[in-house]
Amino acid sequence: MLENKDQSRTSLGELGEFGLINHLTEHFKVTQKTTIKGIGDDAAVLSFPDTQVVVTTDLLLEGVHFDLSYVPLKHLGYKAVMVNLSDVYAMNAMASQITVSIAVSNRFPLEALEDLYVGVQTACANYKVDLVGGDTTSSTTGLVISITAIGHTSKDKIVGRDTAKEGDLLVVTGDIGAAYMGLQILEREKAVFKVNPNSQPDLEQYTYIVERQLKPEARKDIVLLLESLQVLPTSMIDVSDGLSSEILHLCANSKMGCNLYEEKIPLDPQVISTCEEFQLDSTTIALSGGEDYELLFTISQEDYPKIKANPNFTIIGHMTEEREGAHLITRANTKIPLEARGWNALQSE
């Protein structure tokens, strides 16, 4: 649908594996003091004196995690980096390096991979992380992207999922549900295009939610903001698989229950109007949609005055004793069990 039919095509076989790596990474610059040796040797060399190192990795498969009929390769490269950086920030750490490995079929010319790496390079520049390694190989099933992100922080600032306490406030950044509704718009336009290839999608009224799907931003700013406010979360996770799933992860790992208040869930007006257009319940979308890459965390009640007036944060509930369980308190003041209905990569179709 978005393919440029006039692209020139350079076969990957003309470059070979190492020539391809050199070509795609020649414009990446080292910016981190912790990067001693980057691309060009058998392994990267990093130095993290007196800090805790965090490492995370994600695998993205064509046809499972993304659809190239409406996802531009530049956006895909950018988003693939964000998926990983978000996990680093969810540990209250700062990302500093990534590695990128790809498997591609022969239907991808060099120019397509150049677009992909423009997205990766833009993400590296915007978030000040170094590309320090990776791998390339062939694929018979489509495009596969594997990114590993490395970050660091001091031992006393690491925040996991297992340290929430009873009475802690449940806080989320930004707004929820936009990425999923952006996906619904793109899927609808894809269906229209299949019927009428000459149609041109008009996405102007859906700009925000489509951008949240195609070009999400990891919340590095929140880690810096919390530090400036002198707030250390008692637990934290990123919202990648749906708000309800992430809340239940915090509850399970911390051995806590929680009350989540429906009326407090932050929704963008474009999400609400698009849900009405699709006849979908906006609360259900917020709870189960996923791919928002916001941060969900708990804080002690003593820290409430530090964040109460900040527009980046919304208090959506509080932690309770484990025996009380996890519940959604509806707008009608009905208490119902909270269920995980978000993304499951291993679920059968």
Side-chain angles (χ1 to χ4, degrees), residues 187-248:
E187 287 286 353
R188 184 179 69 181
E189 294 303 324
K190 176 184 175 180
V192 171
F193 178 78
K194 284 183 175 179
V195 175
N196 180 13
N198 294 319
S199 67
Q200 292 296 317
D202 182 9
L203 304 179
E204 186 173 351
Q205 64 176 314
Y206 308 109
T207 301
Y208 177 68
I209 60 176
V210 169
E211 182 171 339
R212 289 278 281 176
Q213 170 58 220
L214 294 180
K215 188 178 174 290
E217 299 290 348
R219 298 309 303 264
K220 174 183 179 180
D221 60 315
I222 296 298
V223 179
L224 298 171
L225 177 59
L226 289 171
E227 183 177 31
S228 71
L229 294 173
Q230 297 184 316
V231 174
L232 182 66
T234 54
S235 67
M236 187 152 59
I237 191 172
D238 77 325
V239 183
S240 55
D241 298 330
L243 184 61
S244 58
S245 294
E246 313 304 1
I247 290 174
L248 290 174

Side-chain angles (χ1 to χ4, degrees), residues 72-216:
L73 285 164
K74 292 178 183 178
H75 289 73
L76 177 61
Y78 192 92
K79 182 175 181 177
V81 177
M82 292 303 108
V83 170
N84 285 271
L85 299 190
S86 182
D87 283 334
V88 174
Y89 302 139
M91 299 296 294
N92 202 41
M94 297 307 292
S96 48
Q97 288 88 11
I98 62 168
T99 65
V100 179
S101 296
I102 58 173
V104 291
S105 65
N106 58 12
R107 71 183 171 92
F108 290 91
L110 173 63
E111 289 73 20
L113 297 190
E114 287 176 337
D115 282 347
L116 179 72
Y117 270 72
V118 166
V120 173
Q121 186 177 7
T122 302
C124 287
N126 288 354
Y127 285 78
K128 294 181 170 54
V129 298
D130 292 339
L131 176 64
V132 297
D135 193 19
T136 61
T137 190
S138 60
S139 166
T140 59
T141 57
L143 178 61
V144 179
I145 307 171
S146 177
I147 294 184
T148 296
I150 301 162
H152 60 93
T153 191
S154 59
K155 183 178 181 180
D156 60 342
K157 291 182 180 178
I158 287 282
V159 177
R161 304 177 180 181
D162 58 351
T163 43
K165 300 290 188 293
E166 182 184 354
D168 283 352
L169 301 177
L170 190 63
V171 186
V172 72
T173 64
D175 56 80
I176 303 297
Y180 181 81
M181 292 313 299
L183 179 63
Q184 302 317 298
I185 294 297
L186 292 169
E187 287 286 353
R188 184 179 69 181
E189 294 303 324
K190 176 184 175 180
V192 171
F193 178 78
K194 284 183 175 179
V195 175
N196 180 13
N198 294 319
S199 67
Q200 292 296 317
D202 182 9
L203 304 179
E204 186 173 351
Q205 64 176 314
Y206 308 109
T207 301
Y208 177 68
I209 60 176
V210 169
E211 182 171 339
R212 289 278 281 176
Q213 170 58 220
L214 294 180
K215 188 178 174 290

Side-chain angles (χ1 to χ4, degrees), residues 311-326:
N312 290 284
F313 306 125
T314 304
I315 298 169
I316 58 175
H318 63 271
M319 308 305 284
T320 63
E321 292 183 1
E322 183 178 20
R323 60 183 176 83
E324 293 189 24

Side-chain angles (χ1 to χ4, degrees), residues 4 14 17 56 65 68 88 108 120 144 153 165 219 274 298 313 339 343 347:
N4 181 354
E14 295 179 24
E17 179 183 357
T56 183
H65 300 99
L68 290 178
V88 174
F108 290 91
V120 173
V144 179
T153 191
K165 300 290 188 293
R219 298 309 303 264
T274 309
T298 55
F313 306 125
E339 298 183 8
W343 166 257
Q347 184 174 327

